[in-house]
Amino acid sequence: MPRKEGIGKLRLRIISAHLLKRAFPPEIELIDVMNSGRKVPRSGDHYVRVSWTGSKDTKRTRTIFQTSKPLFEEEMNFIVDHYGLEYRVEVIDANTDRPVGISLITAQGVLQWQRDQTSVEQGITLSSIMHPHKEKVKRRRMALELRTGVKDGFGLNFYNSKSQETAASKKERTRAGEIMGWIEVDICLEEDLDLIYSSDPRQCAPRPVEDFNVELIQLHIARIGAIVDDISKVIKAYNHMVSWKDPKLTLSSFIILVATCVMFDAEYIGSLPIFCLLVLMVHLARIRIRGDFKSKWIHKEKKARIEAEKKMAVNYSVHRPTGRLEVQVLQGKNLRSRELGIPGTPFASVLWDPTRFASER
């Protein structure tokens, strides 16, 4: 019997899109965009095009004319070659053949989302882990945000503070990552469980070798920068721990160190890396539960915006302050979400972009 190729099948049904004429900032949540009362619809002729990494093939829907809420209701099926596959969903303006907004779907992300949804609905049991074939994967509705300036390299492009010129008007400037609407899809990834849960398991296809280009260099530089930042934080935490700035913390660390040196048998030194790895996994699990991964990216976005605003300059023939604006965040509402989880120490940020609506003249 011939073996199946790939790791599963992705079933994607394009339902509809909601397109906006005025973009929303990159850092805003999609749920806030949906509930906003200042949405300006973008009418026109649009279709959806789907492409994927490692292939020049694409699939598209029919064109829907003269509406800001095109209804497509079209089905697409894809063979998922490997776990690192990425799908690029674009809503295209049929008159200019340029993307209005782009969203990225990864195979790993869909699988994680499906497992999270299943664990919420059915819970996690020993039977579900040992006999996953008994669980039937069903298609679920998902709303994908449509952003501008998204390239390949998921997770890197949404935190780019560079501005770009839109096709509609070269005088209108937008930042990469701004939300231009959303698209609703029914999605399901039917994973081939015989890869693991069978008497004859097989190795899944590896990711193809990436071409060496400028975008790949930028991606690796961003990764190295993130690692360097984490190492710097560890060194800073260690220096604080041994500096006696917090006597209780330093004394406790000293007692633990002495006790470990006296009681620890040197022949078990090989277990130390495993113990450190276990501690790291527990720490990362705690961060994920608290939603600090997303907060980390928000802090990076805020830092990038501050650095970008320092370089902003608008030439005015006459400039005079006309008033003073004070903003104070008093309270929040519905802070718990699927992405952030249960709030621990939430914070609010007020960002100001003085050149967003300024005329270049």
Side-chain angles (χ1 to χ4, degrees):
M1 182 177 179
R3 291 183 173 180
K4 301 178 182 177
E5 296 295 333
I7 58 104
K9 188 174 184 179
L10 179 69
R11 300 184 183 275
L12 181 66
R13 183 175 178 82
I14 309 295
I15 305 299
S16 63
H18 299 256
L19 307 176
L20 306 175
K21 187 175 182 179
R22 180 179 297 175
F24 281 80
E27 64 275 1
I28 195 172
E29 295 286 344
L30 179 58
I31 186 64
D32 296 327
V33 175
M34 293 179 174
N35 297 331
S36 175
R38 58 184 185 91
K39 297 191 295 291
V40 180
R42 174 196 176 107
S43 184
D45 309 332
H46 303 93
Y47 65 90
V48 176
R49 181 174 64 198
V50 181
S51 58
W52 53 97
T53 53
S55 175
K56 295 182 179 180
D57 297 333
T58 62
K59 292 186 178 182
R60 57 158 292 175
T61 65
R62 69 188 187 279
T63 302
I64 306 298
F65 298 94
Q66 293 303 313
T67 179
S68 63
K69 299 180 181 179
L71 183 64
F72 300 102
E73 294 284 355
E74 293 194 26
E75 185 99 15
M76 298 181 182
N77 296 321
F78 305 90
I79 298 298
V80 184
D81 295 327
H82 53 85
Y83 286 104
L85 204 61
E86 182 181 88
Y87 295 90
R88 181 185 178 98
V89 181
E90 301 172 289
V91 177
I92 307 295
D93 188 335
N95 297 319
T96 61
D97 203 33
R98 292 179 179 271
V100 176
I102 305 168
S103 184
L104 298 179
I105 302 175
T106 62
Q108 289 178 327
V110 173
L111 287 174
Q112 184 63 59
W113 178 70
Q114 288 181 166
R115 289 164 184 156
D116 291 343
Q117 295 295 314
T118 303
S119 63
V120 171
E121 296 171 358
Q122 304 177 8
I124 301 177
T125 62
L126 182 61
S127 176
S128 65
I129 298 175
M130 300 301 297
H131 305 285
H133 294 82
K134 296 181 180 180
E135 295 186 2
K136 186 177 180 180
V137 181
K138 61 181 180 180
R139 279 197 300 197
R140 293 180 171 87
R141 184 65 55 89
M142 175 186 287
L144 304 173
E145 52 200 19
L146 297 171
R147 294 181 179 265
T148 60
V150 177
K151 304 176 295 184
D152 293 335
F154 185 76
L156 181 63
N157 306 284
F158 297 162
Y159 302 96
N160 185 355
S161 296
K162 294 180 180 179
S163 60
Q164 61 180 6
E165 293 183 351
T166 60
S169 173
K170 291 188 177 181
K171 293 182 179 180
E172 181 184 357
R173 298 172 65 86
T174 61
R175 297 196 305 267
E178 287 186 326
I179 299 177
M180 297 297 298
W182 68 92
I183 182 171
E184 294 183 354
V185 300
D186 286 342
I187 191 169
C188 171
L189 202 164
E190 298 176 351
E191 187 179 11
D192 183 9
L193 297 177
D194 290 336
L195 284 169
I196 304 174
Y197 297 93
S198 68
S199 58
D200 185 21
R202 59 187 175 87
Q203 185 177 4
C204 66
R207 298 186 182 186
V209 180
E210 299 182 23
D211 296 331
F212 189 78
N213 50 36
V214 176
E215 292 182 358
L216 183 61
I217 295 175
Q218 292 176 347
L219 180 61
H220 288 319
I221 291 175
R223 290 171 175 171
I224 294 174
I227 293 175
V228 171
D229 290 341
D230 292 338
I231 294 176
S232 301
K233 290 180 181 179
V234 172
I235 295 175
K236 184 178 180 180
Y238 173 78
N239 291 332
H240 175 73
M241 184 174 61
V242 300
S243 63
W244 292 97
K245 293 181 179 179
D246 187 348
K248 293 182 180 179
L249 176 62
T250 305
L251 180 60
S252 301
S253 303
F254 178 73
I255 293 174
I256 293 174
L257 176 63
V258 172
T260 302
C261 294
V262 172
M263 301 177 61
F264 191 78
D265 198 332
E267 65 182 9
Y268 297 113
I269 192 66
S271 63
L272 188 60
I274 300 177
F275 175 75
C276 294
L277 181 61
L278 180 62
V279 172
L280 177 62
M281 293 175 64
V282 172
H283 175 65
L284 294 177
R286 178 173 172 269
I287 292 177
R288 178 179 176 82
I289 293 173
R290 293 176 54 186
D292 288 343
F293 276 124
K294 189 163 188 177
S295 299
K296 178 181 177 181
W297 287 112
I298 293 175
H299 281 296
K300 286 190 174 182
E301 164 70 6
K302 181 180 177 181
K303 183 179 179 181
R305 292 290 166 79
I306 293 174
E307 294 297 327
E309 287 182 1
K310 290 180 180 178
K311 301 177 182 179
M312 289 181 180
V314 177
N315 296 323
Y316 292 103
S317 58
V318 177
H319 174 74
R320 182 177 62 186
T322 58
R324 180 179 178 183
L325 176 65
E326 293 185 0
V327 180
Q328 183 178 7
V329 180
L330 299 178
Q331 60 181 355
K333 183 180 180 181
N334 299 327
L335 295 179
R336 185 166 185 246
S337 65
R338 184 183 66 194
E339 293 84 5
L340 297 176
I342 299 176
T345 55
F347 65 92
S349 298
V350 179
L351 302 178
W352 175 55
D353 188 350
T355 62
R356 179 176 174 80
F357 300 106
S359 174
E360 295 187 1
R361 293 180 298 178

